[in-house]
Amino acid sequence: MIPAPDLNLSVLLPIILVAIGSMTILMGEVLLSRADTVLGREVTESFIGTVLAGTAIFFFALTLWASGVAFAGGGVQVFNPDNPMYQLDPFSSFVTAVLALSALLSCALSITYLSELRINHGEYYALIMLSASGMMLMVAAVDLIAVFLGLELMSIPIYVLAGFDRRKLRSNESALKYFLIGSFASAILLYGMALLYGVSGGTSFEALRAGFDADNPMALVGLGLVVVGFAFKISMVPFHQWTPDVYEGAPSAVTAYMSVTVKVAAFATLIRLLAMAFGPLEASLETIFWVLSALTIVVGNIMAIIQENVKRMLAYSSIAHAGYLMIGLVTGTIEGYSAMIFYLIAYTFMNLGAFGVVVALANRGNDCERIASFAGLARTRPGLAAVMALFMLSLAGIPGTAGFMGKFKIFMAAVNSGDIWLLIIGVLMSVVSVYYYLRIPVLMYMREPEDESHRTEIASGEGAVLVVCALAVLALGLFPNRVPTLLFGDLDVLDWANRSVGMFFGG
Amino acid sequence: MGEFDQHLLTIITFFPLVTALGLMATSILAKLLGADGLPASLWKPIALASSILTFLLSLRLFAVFDPLETGFQLVEHAPWIPEYGIQYFVGIDGISLLMVLLTTFLMPIILLASWNDISKSLRNYLFFMLSLETGMLGAFVSLNLFQFYVFWEAMLVPMYFIIGVWGGPRRVYAAVKFFLFTMVGSLLMLLAMLVLYYLNFDQTGVLNFDLVAPPGGEMGGLLQTVVPVDGIWWKTQTWLFAAFALAFAIKVPMFPLHTWLPDAHVEAPTSGSVVLAGVLLKMGTYGFLRFAIPLFPSAAVEFTPLMMTLSVIGIVYGSLVAMVQSDIKKLVAYSSVAHLGFVMLGIFALNVHGLTGGVLQMVNHGLSTGALFILVGMLYERRHTRQIADFGGEARPMPVFAACFGVVTMSSIGLPMLNGFVGEFLILVGTFLAAPIFAIIATSGVVLAAAYMLWMFRRVMFGPVDNPENRGLIDLGLREKVVMLSLLIPIIWIGVYPNPLLRRIEPSVIELIRQLEVRRGVVEVETEVAPEVDSEAAPEAEAEPEAKTETAKPDAPDSALPDEAEERL
């Protein structure tokens, strides 16, 4: 008889929590649709908005708490010691906490938006939770198979979410495009993984590290294909073409969610892959990442200038930010990785905030998408205009905001490792980025309002998310080492970022 | 020193911002509660009172400041992000003292001068003005490079909004241009800062952004870093200095990086122009004095010919372009390019006269050009035009205005007994000692300045009142008289008796030169000399500027820097 493996379920606790939440919501949705005929559509709608969204938020909060506790505890635990596939360590629990927090904020952002767009279905929250559980699996994975499993579990619900506004052609187009390109990317990734398996004779990160031969072309090709697979997910140039179309077509709340979380999860997984599996190939990877990073920064920033649609502009801006994040990968140092983690947190808040404003302006089935429709917003919606200006300044990297601290940390790491040319490119492109980010404050503050019907009321969920994001952007920009919170004392986010990647460097 | 004085700099720096945030908080709170909040008419006096109080506090600063002591005074040091050597570190020497005074002095005047200018979203305007004041003060008192950078950049945001929201017809273009120009320089400067930071780390093993050693700290600051003259290109003084100099030169602005200035000045509202000319441009020259030159002294000397050439080109070019302007505001804007050329010339003379004159001229330019912009604003308020051709014979309906304009014009030209003279004179003496050819060319700038200013003055003030619209113009009201009077007092006072300022500038300048020599390895470190320098320099500074030239003139015109410094000792 085969002895029962000594499984350590607590490793998967955050993921299990999210999965339970997702199932609960699916069940609840079924029950509600039964009750639909009895109670009437109005009542079920409000149930979806309160009970189901509340459930999602509750479970994300539990996950946040669980991973926070795990992070505080430190130490490394594996799910199955005989065949380590998932690992609970400071890195995975920290990234899981970030993911849970951004998913929580996305859910709170969606409530009113979904009913404005008349797509208020309970599956929405279930899909968000499913994809979040996939991301959490992916960042905890220490085996290529597990990485792939997590990646697919993350991606497939997001394909559905992108097409969630199924009556809109563009939403459908977005879903189909994302699905097709995503499938190609997955196939390429899988092919690369197969080659790597062929080289090293194992799929676990440890086996990869041990079995690598840097001179073996098969290893290099496999590595290249794996990088390409991830390059699609984080929209590195030249694998970025889907990004603007998908971001534009998907409902804004979905764009907010996926633009942030997918990036966090994919970058975190890349960091883990590089640090744990591909260490011996560092040198050859550095050149590849150098070129890709420079390309991504340049193309993202230049293309963003000519956009007339906010969501497309933010899509290109997110490409540019991916480029800045990749500078961290180029350095390959603990400083670089910790800067990336910090940058991702900063990016989470400022990007969620920027999309949150777009969401909060959506009105009766229409997204507020044209950049021109921001004209005169300072007059009509002074509060929203003020936070939007803050998010734009933060994305542009003006001191005093989280975006600046993120860039500063990345630049610091890169100066220390001597990548001066990449930095000069990055810095000059930053100036370009200021130009297009400033367009929105220019319109909001320096132009007269157009006759555009925005929503005139802000929902409490959206308001709360925007306030949290705005405060976080300021706090991370001014006191990243002691972010003041009322409940939990001062948070040393800088130190957390260091600790989370410290484990890869024997810390 | 009392508890209060120890925190004086922090209080002065953040007082305007706290007022601004407090005012904003009341209006947000009122909105949440559904109430009306403070009426905008109450915001104005509160903002004005806050800026006046800030000025009074900085007078206290002036009183507490010990002119005989070298090095930084009233320092305050607190951890901010200590993991990266980022500290909250403020302190002043004579140079920054004057800059702080200039800022806090101009701010209430600006608010008073633009009392009726702004009607559109007044609350936001006052909020931006007050936060801008904190930004500028913060940059002047920062002794931590990171902290300086934060203030330096954060300052852009309120200025950008002031130009862009309350400016003229092409305000958006001007605001964005202003922002982008500054960003190019400052981001490259940020890289240079980081390179310097890691150079310092390699040498000391400590992560540190402090410029000098904090009180009680044993490690020296960034000023102790040995920056190689050659080696890997981006670690050399030349390139690091170039990056810093680019950022500051854009702000000054030096020819050929000045193109943002006329746009920004012309489009900005009067208050914005005054802040720009009065204080913001000084940020660039101050940056050279505080950071670029002391940090990379060899490169600074290496760049001197280039900098001086660009300065004199700026003087001549700025004056010539000012001469052909038909718009008074644009004329004043180009005159700024010329005046700042003088300041830069004085600074890069790198001797006591030049530097002292440069610093004093920074103050003078702030007062004179600020006053000119306010006067142009007053004209514009009455006639809604700034074309010289539209005016004529204004002295008849507006005698008081004409008198004020006359004095300010003279001060801008550099007439003796007015402030401009002292500064320009010292600069020319300093330049003559360092590089006579540049002094000769620069002197032509003085002549040109007289030409374009007096020509403009004649066309606007004298002659027949041709245009019927000019006939019924009302002379200055009480508020405007107060504004002009408070500007004229220092303009005349500095012209007649500049010693209180010179006495505070000189020790800092001598210390700067000494540091320069030490860091270039020309002079051995003589810690004992430093206190003696001041006690001797101070009485000497009491002498009239005329007397100073007599001691200076016998010097060989090409006397090198060390000689000059030793002569002062």
Side-chain angles (χ1 to χ4, degrees), chain B residues 22 24 47 57 130 143 199 219 248 318 375 399 464 534:
Chain B
M24 252 322 157
L57 284 170
L130 289 174
L143 292 180
L199 273 176
M219 294 311 253
F248 297 137
L375 287 163
D534 319 313

Side-chain angles (χ1 to χ4, degrees), chain B residues 298-311:
Chain B
S298 304
V301 172
E302 187 188 322
F303 272 86
T304 300
L306 175 69
M307 290 312 220
M308 284 190 137
T309 311
L310 290 180
S311 305

Side-chain angles (χ1 to χ4, degrees), chain A residues 125-174:
Chain A
Y125 301 104
L127 288 167
I128 286 213
M129 299 204 86
L130 271 179
S131 72
S133 69
M135 293 168 195
M136 291 166 187
L137 275 178
M138 187 163 81
V139 299
V142 288
D143 187 296
L144 287 181
I145 302 289
V147 167
F148 187 72
L149 200 65
L151 186 89
E152 287 301 291
L153 186 52
M154 164 182 95
S155 304
I156 292 170
I158 292 185
Y159 302 148
V160 182
L161 282 171
F164 205 71
D165 195 356
R166 63 193 156 84
R167 280 161 306 201
K168 277 223 183 81
L169 199 60
R170 274 197 312 162
S171 186
N172 285 314
E173 181 197 328
S174 150

Side-chain angles (χ1 to χ4, degrees), chain A residues 335 399 409 442 446 478 481, chain B residues 80 84 153 160 164 171 198:
Chain A
E335 262 187 309
K409 283 205 65 174
V442 162
M446 304 170 194
L478 290 171
N481 55 340
Chain B
W80 180 6
Y84 299 132
E153 285 266 283
Y160 160 75
R171 57 183 198 266
Y198 279 111

Side-chain angles (χ1 to χ4, degrees), chain A residues 297-298 301-302 305 324 327 396 407 411 420-436, chain B residues 180-181 183-189 191 246 250:
Chain A
I297 292 173
V298 172
N301 279 318
I302 301 271
I305 296 178
Y324 288 111
I327 296 180
K407 272 203 182 127
F411 289 173
I420 205 76
W421 278 111
L422 186 56
L423 275 178
I424 290 176
I425 295 173
V427 153
L428 292 180
M429 283 297 131
S430 258
V431 179
V432 173
S433 82
V434 171
Y435 176 75
Y436 64 80
Chain B
L180 290 181
F181 261 71
M183 277 299 270
V184 177
S186 19
L187 278 168
L188 288 172
M189 177 171 77
L191 288 193
L246 180 68
I250 289 174

